[in-house]
Amino acid sequence: MSRYSVNEFVNSTKQQDKGEGLFELETPRLLEINLNGQVWAKAGAMVSYRGNIKYEREGIFEHGIGKMFKKALSGEGASLMKATGNGKLYVADQGKKVSILNLQGESIFVNGNDLLSFESSIDWDIKLMRRVAGMMAGGLFNVRLEGSGMVAITSHYEPVTLLVTPDNPVFTDPNATVAWAGTLEPEFVTDISLKTFLGRGSGESIQMKFSGNGFVVVQPYEEVYYSQQS
């Protein structure tokens, strides 16, 4: 086979069945969902599918008026679509790296912008970061996921997980914070002396402080969020 031929390109990039179950990484930045039932995915994340799959945007009252109210306050940043049927669904988000987590009765908080897909067996709720909402572009909110099932999250480039212990808290840039888990309750702290060193967005001097037992996932990139209500 000649170098750079069309056949070589097709063979090196063609879809492969890895037999890994419901969620599998087709590439590091493309999630393949072997659908036989229903999953939730970030609205607009579908890039391709085959089979008999029906798509519905999340209904206004689908998850109760409480979640609808919180979504309105958060600028609809976690808009979801429901995919139902049988087939292969491919989802991605602006070329971000995809990580798969298999929750087994555990819970995790994920930045609303970094949640790609999750099984319908997972319970979820939006948690608004009220104290910081007026301090950053578009505010900040997270989604709490709990139960048993698959969750896919995204990050710009390679994520790093930092372990937190009671005697060793971790401080992060909110725009670079992807997820956290454990007994952690983030606080927002400001330090004017760090203003010129941390961050380049509207929240340069704001940090998230994580204390307790657990872990925090960060990415080597600052995402700036724009509220659809602004």
Side-chain angles (χ1 to χ4, degrees):
M1 186 183 299
S2 63
R3 194 178 183 196
Y4 301 129
S5 69
V6 172
N7 284 339
E8 182 186 35
F9 173 79
V10 170
N11 286 330
S12 64
T13 61
K14 69 182 178 182
Q15 180 264 333
Q16 298 180 7
D17 286 320
K18 301 175 183 177
E20 296 175 356
L22 177 65
F23 282 12
E24 64 180 56
L25 292 177
E26 185 61 36
T27 74
R29 300 173 191 279
L30 187 66
L31 175 68
E32 178 183 277
I33 302 174
N34 294 296
L35 188 60
N36 182 19
Q38 183 184 105
V39 296
W40 289 96
K42 187 173 185 177
M46 186 272 286
V47 296
S48 181
Y49 73 94
R50 66 171 75 204
N52 183 20
I53 302 176
K54 177 184 176 184
Y55 302 95
E56 296 176 85
R57 194 172 182 87
E58 179 188 13
I60 289 180
F61 297 105
E62 181 131 19
H63 298 286
I65 195 166
K67 286 183 182 176
M68 180 192 73
F69 178 66
K70 284 186 283 188
K71 286 188 65 171
L73 286 179
S74 63
E76 289 286 341
S79 293
L80 299 171
M81 68 175 181
K82 181 167 55 177
T84 307
N86 294 276
K88 290 185 179 292
L89 170 61
Y90 298 91
V91 293
D93 186 10
Q94 298 180 337
K96 294 163 68 175
K97 181 179 174 62
V98 181
S99 298
I100 299 173
L101 306 172
N102 184 6
L103 298 188
Q104 299 177 4
E106 302 140 309
S107 65
I108 188 169
F109 288 84
V110 180
N111 183 299
N113 202 48
D114 300 322
L115 180 59
L116 181 62
S117 183
F118 57 94
E119 281 192 73
S120 57
S121 58
I122 298 288
D123 292 325
W124 64 277
D125 195 14
I126 292 174
K127 302 293 183 181
L128 292 176
M129 305 284 108
R130 298 180 191 280
R131 292 179 56 191
V132 78
M135 304 164 73
M136 299 175 63
L140 187 72
F141 70 99
N142 294 276
V143 181
R144 183 178 187 270
L145 303 149
E146 182 177 26
S148 297
M150 307 296 281
V151 175
I153 64 175
T154 59
S155 60
H156 286 277
Y157 310 106
E158 307 296 326
V160 172
T161 298
L162 306 172
L163 301 183
V164 183
T165 57
D167 61 340
N168 195 10
V170 169
F171 295 81
T172 67
D173 181 331
N175 288 339
T177 305
V178 174
W180 69 86
T183 62
L184 306 183
E185 286 288 339
E187 302 174 62
F188 290 94
V189 295
T190 57
D191 187 341
I192 222 66
S193 67
L194 290 174
K195 188 176 180 70
T196 57
F197 299 104
L198 269 184
R200 291 172 293 281
S202 62
E204 302 97 330
S205 60
I206 304 169
Q207 303 111 54
M208 296 177 78
K209 178 184 179 181
F210 293 91
S211 304
N213 286 290
F215 64 84
V216 182
V217 181
V218 295
Q219 62 185 0
Y221 184 94
E222 288 181 80
E223 293 190 77
V224 179
Y225 314 105
Y226 297 97
S227 171
Q228 294 181 5
Q229 297 180 335
S230 61

